[in-house]
């Protein structure tokens, strides 16, 4: 019996001790009419060897050589040590550290993580993770609404330049709490949020303003103006950031005159593999004064009986297992293991490494954009500075080019028209530090070739 | 055993430079965008990192090192093959937005997983996107609300929840904009039907229930409950956290549930990772199927594809940036293939055997079982009210005394309505020998508690730290390291009183 | 500086403490004329990411779908847990357990390993490993010569059916100790050692007799007759066995009337990947009375000060670090980590699993041989029963077929003619439990097709 | 902390059956071939196995968890990337006898490794086949003998070895059928040249030497030694175990050595694995190149190929079934690529800096340095003769007291000629902070030893077992578990008195 250690002898002794004849008797409280038959929809067992072969076959089908996709999930070098350590059984197979004395390893990791994320984002406090970047934005929005009691409108401004999936998730999760999400358009030239459009909301009751940096186009927003305007309106700023970019970019805590008090985002770039979209982790940091409205777990340092420093879950009264229907969120299981990976990743990279990864990713994307722009008919769609993604406007349909380049082993980018119909022929491309100059060359060659071919065909 | 913080191990200028890009190009970004102070990240060597986190890992209890009978959490063995195969480069390097044409391997696994989940629950369809149980609950309650609204029945905003329910249930109802009505538990552990009948009405959106409940008993009146709720126009949500107890015995759909989630990290053995990630896949019967969150995997002539807004216009929408915790889903898929139909059917058999065996042995040893006349499901409750009264030895003291014996504590003080309780769940992957060892340890502690109890109150003494001061942790909030220079003499003090 | 933690400041403080100006001064005892220049033959450093890409490219070049090679290295299913545990840092990065109290983990693993190997081979004592199967045979030979003081000839009989590389290694290692290796031919029909040829040495002074089971052709030898004959001659028997086969086959300790007192072989099949030939490990077990001539490390169980059981290296006086030029061997570093893997492998398989692996491998090879024999012109070269390898005689040159099948992603076997010129057109093929019926079918199809093609071409 | 034997965890009939073939075909083998009794292997579940070996691993000191200044062993950090990339399926699944046409990736790495090794030693060619240092020595001495014999100079059967040499040196000479002549060390740590001159003659096959020596000093007279040996018609063997000290500073070939091995598991950071595997690649100058063991990687028009008997007819032959410890070679290759030329040159700089720093700090703390007037190479010797005499606190006591402070002991009682010695090698991958911690611990122990010494004699007390009875281990030999039923009341007793 795979994974069940009982010998027949054991089972007999146990049944005797209980005083029943067979295992089935232990289910005698279940009404007979509810008892089901065999689970015929599940195939019969196969051995680990057979499963391994099967999975290898499936995994091999999806392998791609060169990946230039971004849009919320980024390929970076993950040091070998990260997952060799993270998958150690003691991290991998532990539960939430409710028994602090038996979980100092996990707890200390989280405390270190909280320190790193707080500093990276320029805040005081970080929680111990949320599910992913999109749900973190939703939670940040709910938190901002709870915090900003002065505002009654529950109106939250969300730029159109926020990743459409993030906007959708925020909508789905906040929908039934009568929060109104108001979209702010982007400037079709710069690719930044149209500040004039934003300012047209001046004087109305606005609870919070979401500020993405970089935005979904990879473009850097005018975050200082953004933050100051929000503060002037009595609205809470919520920064949505890429954590790798913060190796190089100014942290939200320093945006504008006072900084932005709530920061969230997707943690995946920090040492978590692409993995088809998950498990990733959402991060959420804030100013000290807001901590009691922070959703999710929090680890604090304290002392034991002998005065020795140690770590424990703290401020649990915010959480569902204590405060139930009045908790700051329903979140229980979070993305702990990913936090472990990210903590190890950030330790290995350090401030210098993280800056280099950010700067190199930026440089590679610039290089790619410049080379692609040499192709007849290809041009950058936006003028504002970008981080490590760029939108290219092609002279042909982006979807067709993508499919053809895929056959050459290149994931060329994302056709933006499915999210932004007005951005016809636009391709969102990302190059990180993982791309060599030769890779960029391969990409641009292939792109030119396929555009040529598409034009010839049309 | 204690370990400096990684920050304290570092030295300014030290680095693990094999991990960096070798060069750093100038960036030409306008100064206003650029960081002036580097973040407080460790400056350490690769050896520092490896040694530090290896040592920290050793400071954890885990399934791989200790018996971990944490009730409601189903800490069963996580087969190592699941990790290996889910970590194949083809899976880990796959971008979530890769074209379907280069995703057929992955989509095949997910589609088959959806099908298997339908089989083990009786539900009509599954969405794999929720990233933990609580998010599955959110999906389910949102679906219930959407269903009522879709029918124009907009006044249904109350969710009924048993008093024994897991905290995520009421918290979820609130997040979905509902009000929570608590239904009490009877002395025998079942839901109080009479009160339930009074609670329901035209405002009832639905009920959230787990069966067997968090009290470790199977509610025999489940069909009656169903009738009450459905008759009142409400729907039934099944909290699948306890599916391990009934796998292959009862299908939630046949108990009358309209929607449910499953904690794959419990029943389907994906690892808990020190707090996550999990997966709270959500299944629906025909009524609620149109409302499932997107994306869902569907079929086409050429293989598999994502179903999206266009295919599921009534969907409650998107709950994650992409499609949920894919890596967790793969682990569950592999686990189900390894166990197969026959293996899954055995899960409940042995989980329930183990729980009943330990319950009986503890009763014989003199422990007070909370529902002594009921079968244990995959877990059961012990109360130490008597010990607390007589010698002041609490459930917490028992928990800590177990740690000193190399056993992780059961869940303490949950459900909240049972005083001084331990919720004990051995799971099917533990052997009789391990259970006997646990019973012996519990018996020993009971004897200690019966004499002076002092030893229990001192426990734990073998762990890296002794009992921690939780009050101080909340009062003198210290949630991040601040290097001595910038410290100004104090951590964040008294930021919040809990 | 990759992997060097010194900051400039550290270095300065250290130099000051030592009292020198720079690091170079620390090398001032090296005569100037000996100081060398830069290591120009080594390329400049690349990052872990770059090395990873490079290695992936190289590794991908050598991937093959279906492998039917054996001849001393065998593909078996290796449970995922084996290497996840074995590469845990505490096993992986520890040294030889000289400080017993700080190495109880490694020591207990070895004690368990010794127990398993002794039982598997039917002996009393197992050492803690030698380098590989071939060098283990050499060490067993030297050991037998030391043990058998009654014999003066230093003549050791070695069947021709011993793997030729093993014979070569034994020769190279024992050469300078004036040991004479006498070859015994095999019977060209049965594939077993020609017992008549063996018996022709009766009455001469023979120190030891090597008995392979199965032999290099996969054929089962008449080990009882072999063992008894050796005992009758006053020669020590040395069994050379495949450890997987012992899940099914009678252990050397039970061969003939008295059993064979020294057993050696290659441990690779027990959970160690093929890895181009190493690291593997050699095992060596023997009767209790012979333990003082056993080469290599040995772990014993003892008690600590409090009477608690514990483990330690024992009988070290046999070893080079104590007895120096009079040691039983020069071996120091052995193959410890592989022993850890093998111990975990055997624990996971248990007696039942090991028997199944053996029986299934045997069955798969029988199936393959039977199906191949249906191809016109293909026949088994030998008549005696075999374990999990079989020699097929083809109607065309084996080398050509191998190269063609390789292009189809199949490693078809080994052309025996390079080792045994008389075995022209002979192919040594192995199928283990890792091969499905579909794989066997693929193989036989391809073989038939390529034979056809070769015939047509010639 | 202690752990049952895996056998004791088992139960008859239990198994980890997901790991088996699901079916067992009948075998039809004649009964005489078939085993009647199953072997004594554990009968356990996968969880049993995982928990047991995870716990056992935690009972080890290792580089990844502890400072490990074990002299002569070069316990430096093993970069994790080396393990990951050497474990790529293309490498681990490659069969050793795969055709060269599907081996070009692997052969490329090995060929480039050979080339790099030539560069760091000055040798003319390398064979990668020896599986550890001792086998490299065997190769080298066999090559020296083969060379003399090839020239008809058959009387050269003596190998000169310094008294300080590692045990493998004399043991190897014996295995190669040579007699060993010991040359003594002078008080300053260098070889006694006068005695050496007397030892050589027409019987001299060669000398085995490591420089810096196992005493931790660089023999300044190496050129004089070379002259003596070469003039006498002998050859020089370089034991490359201490290469870490001179990487990029001196080439063994330029010191006059004709043949050498390198312990890749020391200088090139491949892991020690609790005792192995290692790799003892052997390099030769032009004189001995034809005698290198096979196989060696060579080039062809189409790529790389194995050179064999046919290419190297004078080769001493084959030392391993296939081509040595390929996986270890890949790790060394990766390591060298990660460090590059500049990184390798830094290795000796910082290894030597660390050793000299610790030596100086220990001297200041009151320890007796064996060669106080010499520079430390990458390691150095402390003697506790004085402490042993005055308080009976031995080098072993110091070693055990270090364990209680979370530091692995240095090498004790080696080289044999120095009484009560510790051979201390910090390696370049340890930080000043770690070294300072070590010095502080040593200083603390020294103070304890100076007072009563009792605490040192009790050490260790924090390890899973206290000091073990080695005498009993040898006298009452217990080298395998015997289950109680079949035990007959005793383990193998008194099989051998040591
Ligand atoms: C009964 C019950 N319901 C719901 C949950 C919530 O699941 P999750 O932690 O995955 O959000 C849990 C998990 O602790 C549970 O035990
Ligand atoms: C100086 C010296 N020579 C030779 C050896 C033998 O190397 P190995 O253990 O790899 O056989 C060692 C290793 O301990 C050593 O330190």
């Amino acid at each position: 019996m795979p994974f069940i250690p009982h010998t027949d002898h054991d089972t007999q002794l146990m049944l005797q001790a209980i005083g029943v004849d067979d295992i089935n008797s232990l289910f005698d409280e279940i009404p007979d009419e509810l008892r089901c038959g065999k689970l015929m929809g599940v195939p019969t067992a196969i051995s680990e060897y057979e499963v391994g072969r099967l999975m290898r076959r499936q995994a091999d089908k999806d392998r791609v050589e060169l990946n230039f996709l971004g849009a919320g999930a980024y390929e970076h070098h993950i040091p070998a040590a990260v997952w060799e350590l993270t998958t150690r059984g003691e991290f991998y197979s532990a539960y939430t550290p409710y028994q602090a004395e038996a979980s100092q390893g996990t707890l200390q990791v989280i405390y270190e993580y909280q320190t790193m994320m707080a500093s990276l984002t320029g805040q005081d406090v970080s929680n111990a993770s949320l599910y992913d970047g999109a749900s973190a934005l939703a939670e940040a929005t709910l938190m901002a609404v709870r915090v900003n009691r002065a505002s009654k409108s529950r109106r939250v401004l969300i730029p159109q330049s926020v990743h459409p999936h993030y906007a959708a998730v925020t909508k789905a999760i906040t929908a039934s709490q009568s929060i109104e999400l108001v979209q702010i358009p982007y400037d079709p030239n710069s690719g930044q949020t149209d500040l004039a459009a934003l300012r047209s909301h001046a004087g109305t009751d606005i609870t919070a303003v979401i500020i993405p940096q970089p935005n979904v186009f990879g473009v850097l927003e005018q975050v200082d103006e953004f933050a100051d305007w929000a503060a002037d309106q009595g609205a809470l700023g919520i920064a949505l950031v890429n954590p790798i970019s913060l190796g190089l970019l100014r942290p939200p805590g320093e945006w504008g005159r006072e900084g932005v008090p709530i920061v969230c985002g997707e943690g995946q770039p920090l040492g978590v593999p692409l993995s088809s979209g998950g498990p990733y982790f959402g991060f959420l940091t804030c100013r000290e004064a807001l901590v009691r409205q922070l959703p999710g777990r929090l680890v604090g340092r304290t002392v034991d009986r002998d005065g020795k420093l140690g770590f424990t879950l703290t401020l649990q009264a915010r959480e569902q297992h204590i405060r139930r229907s009045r908790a700051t969120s329903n979140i229980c299981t979070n993305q702990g293991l990913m936090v472990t990976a990210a903590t190890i990743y950030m330790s290995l990279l350090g401030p210098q490494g993280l800056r280099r990864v950010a700067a190199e990713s930026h440089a590679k994307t610039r290089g790619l954009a410049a080379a692609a722009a040499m192709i007849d008919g290809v041009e950058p769609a936006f003028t504002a500075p970008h981080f490590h993604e760029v939108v290219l406007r092609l002279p042909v349909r982006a979807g067709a080019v993508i499919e053809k380049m895929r056959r050459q082993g290149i994931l060329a980018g994302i056709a933006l028209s499915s999210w932004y119909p007005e951005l016809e022929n636009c391709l969102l491309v990302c190059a990180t530090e993982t791309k060599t100059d030769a890779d960029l060359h391969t990409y641009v060659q292939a792109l030119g070739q396929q555009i040529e071919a598409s034009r010839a065909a049309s | 055993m204690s370990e400096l913080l990684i920050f304290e191990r570092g030295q300014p200028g030290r680095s693990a430079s094999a991990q960096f890009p070798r060069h750093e190009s100038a960036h030409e970004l306008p100064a206003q965008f650029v960081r002036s102070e580097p973040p407080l990240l460790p400056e350490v060597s690769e050896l520092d990192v490896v040694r530090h986190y290896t040592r920290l890992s050793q400071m954890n209890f885990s399934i791989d090192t200790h018996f971990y009978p944490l009730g409601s959490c189903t800490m069963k063995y996580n087969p190592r093959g699941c990790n290996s195969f889910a970590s194949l480069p083809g899976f880990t390097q796959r971008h979530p937005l890769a074209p379907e044409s280069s995703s057929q391997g992955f989509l095949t696994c997910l589609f088959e997983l959806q099908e298997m989940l339908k089989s083990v629950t009786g539900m009509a369809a599954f969405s794999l996107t929720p990233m933990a149980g609580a998010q599955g609950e959110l999906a389910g309650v949102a679906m219930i609300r959407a269903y009522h609204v879709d029918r124009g029945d907009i006044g249904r905003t109350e969710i009924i929840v048993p008093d024994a329910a897991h905290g995520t249930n009421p918290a979820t109802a609130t997040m979905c904009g509902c009000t929570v009505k608590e239904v009490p538990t009877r002395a025998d552990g079942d839901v109080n039907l009479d009160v339930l009948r009074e609670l329901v009405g035209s405002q009832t959106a639905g009920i959230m229930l787990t069966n067997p409940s968090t009290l470790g008993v199977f509610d025999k009146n489940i069909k009656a409950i169903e009738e009450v709720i459905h008759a009142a126009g409400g729907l039934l949500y099944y909290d699948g956290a306890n599916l391990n107890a009934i796998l292959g015995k009862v299908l939630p759909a046949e108990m009358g549930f309209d929607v449910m989630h499953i904690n794959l990290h419990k029943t389907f053995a994906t690892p808990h990772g020190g707090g996550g990630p999990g997966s709270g896949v959500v299944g629906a019967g025909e009524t609620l199927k149109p409302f499932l969150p997107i994306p869902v995997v569907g079929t086409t002539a050429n293989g598999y594809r994502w179903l999206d807004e266009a295919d599921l216009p009534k969907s409650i929408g998107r709950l994650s940036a992409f499609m949920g915790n894919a890596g967790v889903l793969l682990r569950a898929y592999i686990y189900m293939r390894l166990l197969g139909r026959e293996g899954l059917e055995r899960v409940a058999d042995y989980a329930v055997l183990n729980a009943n065996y330990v319950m009986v042995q503890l009763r014989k040893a003199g422990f007070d079982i909370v529902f002594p006349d009921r079968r244990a499901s995959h877990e059961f409750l012990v109360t130490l009210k008597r010990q607390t009264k007589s010698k002041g030895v609490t459930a917490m003291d028992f928990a800590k005394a177990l740690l000193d014996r190399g056993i992780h504590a059961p869940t303490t003080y949950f459900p909240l309505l049972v005083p001084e309780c331990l919720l004990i769940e051995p799971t099917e992957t533990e052997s009789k020998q391990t259970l006997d060892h646990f019973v012996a340890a519990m018996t020993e502690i009971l004897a200690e508690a019966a004499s002076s109890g002092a030893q229990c109150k001192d426990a734990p003494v073998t762990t890296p730290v002794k009992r921690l001061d939780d009050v101080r942790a909340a009062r003198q909030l210290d949630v991040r390291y601040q290097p001595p220079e910038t410290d100004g003499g104090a951590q964040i003090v008294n930021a919040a009183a809990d």
Side-chain angles (χ1 to χ4, degrees), chain A residues 122-185:
Chain A
Q123 301 292 326
D124 300 316
V125 183
S126 165
N127 78 0
S129 81
L130 297 165
Y131 302 132
D132 71 354
S135 67
L137 179 60
E139 288 278 14
T141 304
L142 293 173
M143 176 180 173
V145 171
R146 286 192 303 273
V147 165
N148 194 353
R149 299 208 193 137
S151 164
K152 302 292 166 210
S153 69
R154 299 172 87 88
R155 284 176 73 220
V156 177
L157 305 189
I158 180 166
Q160 235 195 317
S161 69
V162 164
H163 193 303
H165 285 186
Y166 280 49
V169 170
T170 303
K171 180 155 161 272
I173 292 178
T174 63
S176 45
Q177 297 196 45
S178 47
I179 288 167
E180 184 193 356
L181 296 173
V182 180
Q183 287 222 327
I184 309 293

Side-chain angles (χ1 to χ4, degrees), chain A residues 95 332-333, chain B residues 72 132-134 137 166 168 214 239 241 261 263 265-266:
Chain A
Y95 199 73
C332 175
T333 293
Chain B
S72 208
E137 296 174 25
H166 194 265
T168 50
T214 56
D239 174 342
H261 84 267
N263 297 65
H265 45 302
K266 301 185 195 288

